[in-house]
Amino acid sequence: MARRNKIYEGKAKVLYEGPEPGTLVQYFKDDATANNAEKRDVVDGKGVLNNRLSEFFMTGLGNIGVPTHFIKRLNMREQLIRQVEVIPLEVIVRNYAAGSMAKRLGLEEGTRLPRPLVEYSYKEDALGDPLVPEEYILAFGWATQQDLDDILSLALRVNDFMSGVMHGVGIRLVDFKIEVGRLWDGDYMRLVVADEISPDSCRLWDVETGQKLDKDVFRRDLGNLTDAYTEVARRLGVIPANSAHPKPTLIN
Ligand code: UDP
């Protein structure tokens, strides 16, 4: 069998050439990293869960008219996506103070913010993804003012959708990160949500107990990461309610 062409390997995913021009296959690994890859481990089953959860969120976004790069899930670990030019920014939306923001401003984690706040980090591992103001983004040409207006609108629509879906299953969406890509159609370009949306890139707290159901479980050694992600998937109906572990039920 011909080997697929690997385009790129990141910390949690691998991208392969897709079956048709303009498509890629996104493969979800079990690797978990934190603190800019200082802490790393293999978490059995994480890739399978993130593939399913990202499919769930991207499909839901598509259904309400928010464009994404997602085409379809192929199997347990792979999904077919559109090839986009990824804008080198991490777009972070925050509803409650946590993580780096809580530290930066001396706020207690969980403090509700006056309104959703959107901020940008420059995607460069070697620099630890530094926070950048819009002025830098414009000056260095990473995005135009029009792009930033569109990115803000995308980010807030994703936030409304994700907050609502999570609220419905008793989970608070504290913050999350998305990446945005340019999709070309001849000379016409539009911005779409790219990469993944999963508990790797969100902070998710149980509304009642405050229990963390996201990658902070790994970052802060709070327990079993697969159990936390399985709980999210179960509540959302992505895997059956009686499934203790994704493997036996997720054949495809
Ligand atoms: N985030 C991410 N990738 C990154 C940095 C942050 O997915 O490289 C997510 C993170 O999971 C959280 C949100 O973005 O949901 C805000 O993260 P923060 O800036 O607080 O950084 P952290 O405390 O995670 O270093």
Side-chain angles (χ1 to χ4, degrees):
M1 202 173 82
R3 251 192 96 58
R4 268 184 315 187
N5 227 347
K6 193 194 279 189
I7 306 275
Y8 174 80
E9 177 152 6
K11 286 174 282 193
K13 297 185 294 292
V14 187
L15 292 177
Y16 296 99
E17 211 169 79
E20 281 158 34
T23 65
L24 296 175
V25 173
Q26 180 164 252
Y27 175 98
F28 288 75
K29 302 193 280 186
D30 279 341
D31 302 37
T33 61
N35 292 339
N36 208 13
E38 267 169 37
K39 178 176 165 74
R40 53 171 72 230
D41 207 348
V42 175
V43 178
D44 209 17
K46 178 174 83 83
V48 174
L49 285 158
N50 280 353
N51 186 26
R52 288 294 294 256
L53 284 163
S54 202
E55 171 194 23
F56 176 82
F57 297 128
M58 295 282 186
T59 305
L61 285 168
N63 287 342
I64 60 161
V66 178
T68 79
H69 72 164
F70 181 81
I71 302 173
K72 64 174 181 179
R73 186 169 59 83
L74 297 171
N75 54 48
M76 280 182 61
R77 287 190 184 270
E78 294 178 330
Q79 47 184 244
L80 187 66
I81 58 171
R82 283 184 213 293
Q83 184 161 27
V84 298
E85 249 172 54
V86 175
I87 294 180
L89 296 173
E90 308 218 314
V91 181
I92 295 170
V93 183
R94 300 177 185 275
N95 298 305
Y96 297 83
S100 66
M101 182 210 213
K103 209 177 278 174
R104 199 161 56 238
L105 299 185
L107 291 171
E108 192 181 334
E109 287 209 307
T111 307
R112 193 182 229 306
L113 300 171
R115 60 185 172 87
L117 297 178
V118 180
E119 66 189 40
Y120 307 96
S121 295
Y122 177 50
K123 239 173 89 72
E124 180 55 71
D125 279 343
L127 303 173
D129 301 338
L131 190 67
V132 286
E134 289 195 8
E135 204 182 357
Y136 288 19
I137 298 171
L138 298 173
F140 290 113
W142 298 324
T144 64
Q145 186 61 58
Q146 179 64 55
D147 293 333
L148 283 178
D149 292 349
D150 292 347
I151 290 171
L152 181 66
S153 150
L154 271 181
L156 293 175
R157 291 177 76 193
V158 173
N159 187 42
D160 282 347
F161 172 77
M162 294 287 294
S163 295
V165 167
M166 289 301 180
H167 184 75
V169 295
I171 294 174
R172 177 188 294 181
L173 179 65
V174 173
D175 59 27
F176 65 94
K177 182 256 325 187
I178 55 168
E179 294 184 23
V180 174
R182 298 179 195 281
L183 191 57
W184 291 93
D185 182 5
D187 284 344
Y188 179 75
M189 185 277 293
R190 66 187 176 130
L191 296 176
V192 304
V193 178
D195 192 50
E196 74 181 290
I197 302 181
S198 76
D200 266 8
S201 50
C202 300
R203 282 199 170 91
L204 305 170
W205 297 359
D206 180 85
V207 168
E208 296 295 328
T209 65
Q211 187 192 354
K212 295 187 196 324
L213 299 169
D214 57 60
K215 206 165 95 176
D216 276 347
V217 171
F218 171 75
R219 292 190 191 101
R220 304 180 188 187
D221 291 320
L222 300 175
N224 184 300
L225 194 66
T226 310
D227 287 350
Y229 289 19
T230 300
E231 175 64 16
V232 175
R234 243 199 264 137
R235 288 198 200 182
L236 292 168
V238 167
I239 60 174
N242 59 1
S243 154
H245 196 276
K247 273 187 180 155
T249 44
L250 293 185
I251 290 149
N252 194 15

